[in-house]
Amino acid sequence: MPSPDQPPHATGPTAVSMVGFRNADDVRHCVATLAEGSDPNFVVLICENGGRAGFDDLVAGLATLAAEGTAPAVTDPAIATVWRGTLPGGQVVEALCAADNLGYAGGVNATIARLAAFPDWSALWVLNADTEPDRDALAALVRKARSDPRYGIVGSRLVLFGTGKIQAYGGRWRKYTARGFNIGLGRPAEAPVDAGAVEREMTYVLGASMYITHAFIDEVGGMTEDYFLYVEEVDWCLRRGRFRLGLAADSIIHHHHGGTLGSSTSRRARSRLAVYLEERNKHLISRRLYPALYPLVALTTLVFTAQYIRARAPRNFVIALEGWWAGLRGESGKPAWMR
């Protein structure tokens, strides 16, 4: 990893971190959008968790945007191979083929491990592949983070794609029920927002767009991999120590929410993986960060599984109970039924 004494406002490139799972078209479109942005000072690091076939599709898509270069040597045992290209603006793009499905946090951490190849990097922008950043989205994040050295993670104004409505300005974790609350949900996308008020309320930045400073990663470290998927960003933010969370309200990200993992807002349409891990991981994060409250959380999360019954989703109610039971038993990492 780069030296921890690097200045907090280093001016090297932002490393854009994406995790893919057989969604090469989404990744390609997101990279193409980044290439059209107003801030050209970035590199892109993509970890493909979908096996060799997913990686080959990803490389084929990226090759239409970037000129292929010499692939770097692979030193991380979690990574099977690496492809490198260069965008017309000179930005490096690397695609990493995970040796196994590392989960979301594992994929992000694999890109963090690659930062050693870019010793002057200034920040890490964790960005969902199913997003479309506005032209000035990155510039706004950089500007906000550099406005105060106490900022460790800065989020964007997330807009649900095609709706004109806000997904979130930030999140508030409700520790007694182990549930998140999206601040600003449903507001008009262009409505004025008091960033200071949001920052006073928020306890985490949503993972669709997280701008993390070099100093934060050096001090706090990477994402916790026990969750496999879901609540990693909550855990990361709640472990932030001395750092502040920020909102760059003029960094606008359009998000195709749930398009890849089946994590849509419809309880009947949600995938087995989304339902199972959401319920299981409530136990993991509560037991780790709020151990005194865990007995209460174990009860409230069981009661909340009944929402699938009210939504007339009996199949997902059963899956929710399976996830709840797995969390109670302490299962972590990749779900047992996926191994």
Side-chain angles (χ1 to χ4, degrees), residues 178-203:
R179 297 166 64 82
F181 173 79
N182 284 5
I183 301 169
L185 177 65
R187 292 196 68 195
E190 304 299 328
V193 55
D194 184 340
V198 172
E199 290 175 8
R200 288 189 292 273
E201 181 181 358
M202 68 195 297
T203 54

Side-chain angles (χ1 to χ4, degrees), residues 2-311:
S3 170
D5 59 3
Q6 175 162 342
H9 296 328
T11 56
T14 296
V16 183
S17 170
M18 285 189 272
V19 179
F21 187 83
R22 302 172 189 168
N23 58 332
D25 289 343
D26 286 343
V27 175
R28 182 195 178 281
H29 183 71
C30 189
V31 172
T33 304
L34 289 170
E36 298 172 355
S38 63
D39 186 343
N41 192 20
F42 66 87
V43 299
V44 182
L45 304 172
I46 307 153
C47 182
E48 173 56 54
N49 270 337
R52 187 66 199 219
F55 178 74
D56 290 344
D57 287 344
L58 174 61
V59 168
L62 294 174
T64 67
L65 301 174
E68 184 173 0
T70 302
V74 179
T75 58
D76 185 345
I79 301 302
T81 189
V82 179
W83 178 90
R84 175 179 282 188
T86 305
L87 293 170
Q91 300 91 349
V92 171
V93 179
E94 286 191 356
L96 319 178
C97 180
D100 189 15
N101 188 341
L102 305 176
Y104 186 74
V108 170
N109 288 345
T111 67
I112 292 175
R114 282 296 302 155
L115 293 176
F118 306 91
D120 61 339
W121 67 279
S122 61
L124 184 79
W125 185 16
V126 177
L127 185 66
N128 273 21
D130 60 348
T131 59
E132 294 184 21
D134 273 12
R135 187 173 184 274
D136 295 325
L138 175 56
L141 287 167
V142 173
R143 188 165 54 248
K144 179 71 174 185
R146 292 180 180 172
S147 69
D148 187 333
R150 293 174 296 175
Y151 283 125
I153 302 181
V154 176
S156 302
R157 182 191 303 232
L158 299 179
V159 179
L160 289 168
F161 188 84
T163 68
K165 300 293 185 181
I166 291 293
Q167 178 188 358
Y169 302 131
R172 186 176 73 246
W173 187 249
R174 295 176 285 192
K175 59 186 179 182
Y176 295 102
T177 58
R179 297 166 64 82
F181 173 79
N182 284 5
I183 301 169
L185 177 65
R187 292 196 68 195
E190 304 299 328
V193 55
D194 184 340
V198 172
E199 290 175 8
R200 288 189 292 273
E201 181 181 358
M202 68 195 297
T203 54
Y204 67 94
V205 171
L206 272 72
S209 175
M210 305 179 78
Y211 184 91
I212 305 105
T213 66
H214 191 136
F216 181 96
I217 291 177
D218 279 336
E219 188 168 321
V220 179
M223 279 188 162
T224 300
E225 298 185 18
D226 288 352
Y227 303 108
F228 194 70
L229 287 170
Y230 302 120
V231 307
E232 303 97 330
E233 76 270 39
V234 179
D235 178 284
W236 218 4
C237 292
L238 292 176
R239 291 189 290 115
R240 66 185 179 274
R242 66 180 179 88
F243 293 98
R244 290 180 57 190
L245 304 179
L247 168 64
D250 47 353
S251 173
I252 300 172
I253 307 291
H254 302 273
H255 188 200
H256 297 260
H257 179 56
T260 303
L261 297 172
S263 55
S264 70
T265 55
S266 167
R267 296 191 181 278
R268 298 178 68 180
R270 302 192 76 200
S271 70
R272 179 185 184 189
L273 185 64
V275 174
Y276 183 93
L277 288 179
E278 183 178 66
E279 298 303 325
R280 187 199 72 175
N281 290 348
K282 291 173 181 177
H283 290 261
L284 302 188
I285 192 170
S286 299
R287 191 183 287 122
R288 171 177 287 122
L289 299 180
Y290 303 107
L293 295 177
Y294 177 66
L296 173 62
V297 171
L299 177 61
T300 59
T301 52
L302 177 61
V303 171
F304 273 111
T305 61
Q307 292 180 101
Y308 287 99
I309 294 294
R310 290 198 296 273

